[in-house]
Amino acid sequence: WAIDNDRYETPKSGSVHRWGDAFGGPDDYGEFYEGYEDLGLTIVAPELKGVKKKLPNGEYDPFQYVGIIPGGLGYNLNDSQGRAFYIFDPDNGSIIKKITTENGYAGPGGSTLGMGITPVHYLYDNEKTKLHAKEFFTGDSEGNVLHCDLTVPVDEWKLKSILRLRADKDSPIALPVGYLVLEDRKGNQWLFGGTADVMAPGQVMLTMPTGEKVNQQRGIHNDEQYIFGLHTKNPNAQVKTDLSYPSGNTSAPVTLSDLTSLKYMKTVPAITPAWSGEVSEDQVPVGPDGWKLRLRPKIDDPHQPTEAEYITAEPFFQDGFLYVATFIPFTELPTDQERCRDIGFGKLYALDPDTGKSGWKGGQAYTFRNIKIVGISAARGNLFMGIKTLRSGALEAFAQYEETKNYVLHAENSIVEIHSAGSSGPSLPDIPPEIPHLQYWREIF
């Protein structure tokens, strides 16, 4: 079977069809199928998950499998396309639950559900077997970190906003990158994530101050970017991120102002032009809701202007530290008419998940000129990073630092292996040709 939504720039009557063997034959286009007309240009693959579906009599059906997919990216970025979340029957594509602003979105009063552009992070009854998904986290284009409880009856499956990232009330910070959920030493549950711009299909025509008309890639461009750690369950503090669903209007979720600001410290090597955050020299204790690190903003320097720093891969945990990869695009010469987003500094943070303190000896992050890190994984105590080298000679940067000087290349220079911040030992262990537990990664924009 297939779902075919040929609604693009404007809504069209009868634009959504189901077709295939489940509907009369492989060449049967099928009838109009209501419900998927809000499916946008999907950038997250659908996943099939087993759930313990709660039945009306209070018992559970442990063999219920569902398909889950965020709505995607709307072509125009301002209509209903993508502003839905679908849970469907994998046998035939029929909708089990469609979550929209009007149906199942639990946000602060008057808020709308944004476009579903963020990968989904699942938690299971048994994290070893990953047999039954009990809850998941995702995010949207309105700066909402969203949670869904799958242990309640299907009619009660909903998305609740537990964190809203906004530079101000009218400036949502889009969340297109996935999350990591961990439990700390005290039994508190943390969710870690970060932000980046969202690229959309097509271009818009802009008129420059000189009167010149230029094409620019459409998208959602965040004025501020962040890495954050959010308490979602804290047995030792009464926090606003309680995941129970109140009746009626939900209370306001945690916001950026509720998160403790961490200091943006030096990097190794230093980046010119330099920038440091507003926080004092001493790192402040993290509050009950969690922490945030404001990333380097756009800097209009006459000699080397840079664009805003953004996260490029899902956060990763290894040997007691949280690893986050970011990228700072820059213009190589101030006379360049085109500010190429594919040259600049790749950065690798190693942060204590509880406090946000750095795990690297030399600074808060290592920087690698003209290298973009697009995925992080680990095996036998070492980090494996999927990388994109943007200029020849860029890999020489790995040999400059103690933790990275013994780097090893795999897969035709697209994967780099280094020591993790918490690992010890004078040399790298032997890694077999088939690297265990290596996650798949791809660049999302």
Side-chain angles (χ1 to χ4, degrees):
W1 59 267
I3 304 298
D4 189 347
N5 180 1
D6 64 356
R7 170 197 163 188
Y8 297 109
E9 297 188 39
T10 57
K12 290 192 296 184
S13 176
S15 61
V16 181
H17 295 261
R18 288 191 297 174
W19 54 273
D21 283 334
F23 308 100
D27 298 322
D28 187 356
Y29 189 61
E31 299 297 327
F32 168 67
Y33 186 64
E34 184 177 2
Y36 279 108
E37 62 272 8
D38 293 324
L39 189 68
L41 299 167
T42 55
I43 56 177
V44 178
E47 296 192 59
L48 303 184
K49 295 296 175 182
V51 296
K52 289 183 176 180
K53 186 179 71 171
K54 195 170 186 179
L55 303 175
N57 61 5
E59 297 179 354
Y60 287 89
D61 176 3
F63 304 108
Q64 174 71 22
Y65 279 82
V66 299
I68 300 176
I69 185 170
L73 193 65
Y75 189 89
N76 291 318
L77 303 182
N78 56 8
D79 59 11
S80 65
Q81 269 196 301
R83 298 179 184 273
F85 199 95
Y86 291 95
I87 302 176
F88 61 88
D89 186 338
D91 288 338
N92 55 27
S94 61
I95 297 173
I96 297 173
K97 177 75 172 182
K98 176 183 177 182
I99 301 175
T100 64
T101 295
E102 292 75 29
N103 177 25
Y105 170 56
S111 66
T112 60
L113 181 65
M115 293 177 290
I117 55 176
T118 305
V120 183
H121 182 94
Y122 297 90
L123 298 181
Y124 301 86
D125 282 341
N126 187 319
E127 288 294 333
K128 291 184 178 180
T129 63
K130 298 191 181 300
L131 183 60
H132 297 122
K134 63 178 181 179
E135 58 186 315
F136 65 78
F137 296 89
T138 188
D140 70 5
S141 60
E142 292 293 320
N144 293 297
V145 176
L146 302 167
H147 173 264
C148 181
D149 181 1
L150 295 172
T151 65
V152 298
V154 174
D155 289 344
E156 298 177 27
W157 286 352
K158 62 181 68 176
L159 292 173
K160 179 182 179 182
S161 175
I162 60 172
L163 171 66
R164 297 197 88 192
L165 297 176
R166 286 175 175 265
D168 56 55
K169 68 176 183 177
D170 298 320
S171 301
I173 300 175
L175 289 157
V177 184
Y179 303 118
L180 173 67
V181 177
L182 297 174
E183 189 173 285
D184 67 16
R185 304 173 187 91
K186 299 177 181 178
N188 305 324
Q189 181 177 288
W190 286 81
L191 180 144
F192 302 99
T195 68
D197 290 349
V198 179
M199 297 296 105
Q203 295 181 329
V204 293
M205 183 73 73
L206 298 179
T207 302
M208 306 301 288
T210 60
E212 179 189 7
K213 295 185 180 296
V214 297
N215 286 320
Q216 185 180 68
Q217 180 73 42
R218 292 194 307 163
I220 300 172
H221 302 284
N222 297 326
D223 292 332
E224 299 179 357
Q225 308 282 18
Y226 289 88
I227 301 169
F228 59 86
L230 172 70
H231 266 142
T232 59
K233 292 179 182 176
N234 184 345
N236 302 317
Q238 184 64 39
V239 296
K240 289 183 289 184
T241 47
D242 176 20
L243 296 182
S244 61
Y245 291 103
S247 58
N249 291 331
T250 181
S251 58
V254 170
T255 65
L256 271 176
S257 62
D258 297 313
L259 303 179
T260 302
S261 293
L262 300 181
K263 180 188 173 189
Y264 187 95
M265 298 186 292
K266 70 175 183 177
T267 60
V268 182
I271 298 176
T272 301
W275 178 79
S276 60
E278 310 81 4
V279 185
S280 65
E281 290 295 321
D282 296 325
Q283 198 69 276
V284 295
V286 172
D289 291 313
W291 55 263
K292 65 178 181 288
L293 176 66
R294 183 188 177 211
L295 298 176
R296 177 189 174 101
K298 178 179 179 178
I299 298 178
D300 291 318
D301 183 91
H303 301 292
Q304 190 174 1
T306 66
E307 301 294 331
E309 179 181 1
Y310 62 90
I311 188 171
T312 58
E314 294 183 17
F316 186 81
F317 181 76
Q318 175 72 11
D319 290 333
F321 289 99
L322 179 74
Y323 294 92
V324 184
T326 66
F327 188 70
I328 303 172
F330 70 94
T331 303
E332 196 162 21
L333 295 172
T335 56
D336 287 352
Q337 295 299 314
E338 178 184 358
R339 295 193 174 188
C340 179
R341 296 182 61 87
D342 270 341
I343 55 176
F345 291 96
K347 296 178 63 175
L348 181 63
Y349 292 83
L351 305 172
D352 184 307
D354 293 329
T355 65
K357 293 182 179 179
S358 176
W360 299 126
K361 296 177 182 179
Q364 193 176 36
Y366 282 115
T367 64
F368 309 104
R369 191 180 182 95
N370 291 327
I371 288 178
K372 182 184 287 188
I373 301 170
V374 298
I376 306 173
S377 191
R380 299 186 179 182
N382 286 336
L383 294 181
F384 290 81
M385 296 181 294
I387 64 170
K388 183 177 181 180
T389 55
L390 308 176
R391 290 289 173 89
S392 62
L395 284 169
E396 296 173 2
F398 280 92
Q400 299 179 32
Y401 322 120
E402 181 178 346
E403 285 84 354
T404 63
K405 64 183 180 182
N406 292 320
Y407 74 92
V408 176
L409 296 180
H410 301 273
E412 298 181 355
N413 298 347
S414 64
I415 298 177
V416 171
E417 175 188 356
I418 66 171
H419 279 308
S420 62
S423 66
S424 60
S427 61
L428 296 172
D430 292 331
I431 301 296
E434 295 180 358
I435 301 171
H437 311 300
L438 190 62
Q439 296 178 344
Y440 169 76
W441 53 63
R442 66 184 177 91
E443 192 172 7
I444 61 171
F445 57 85

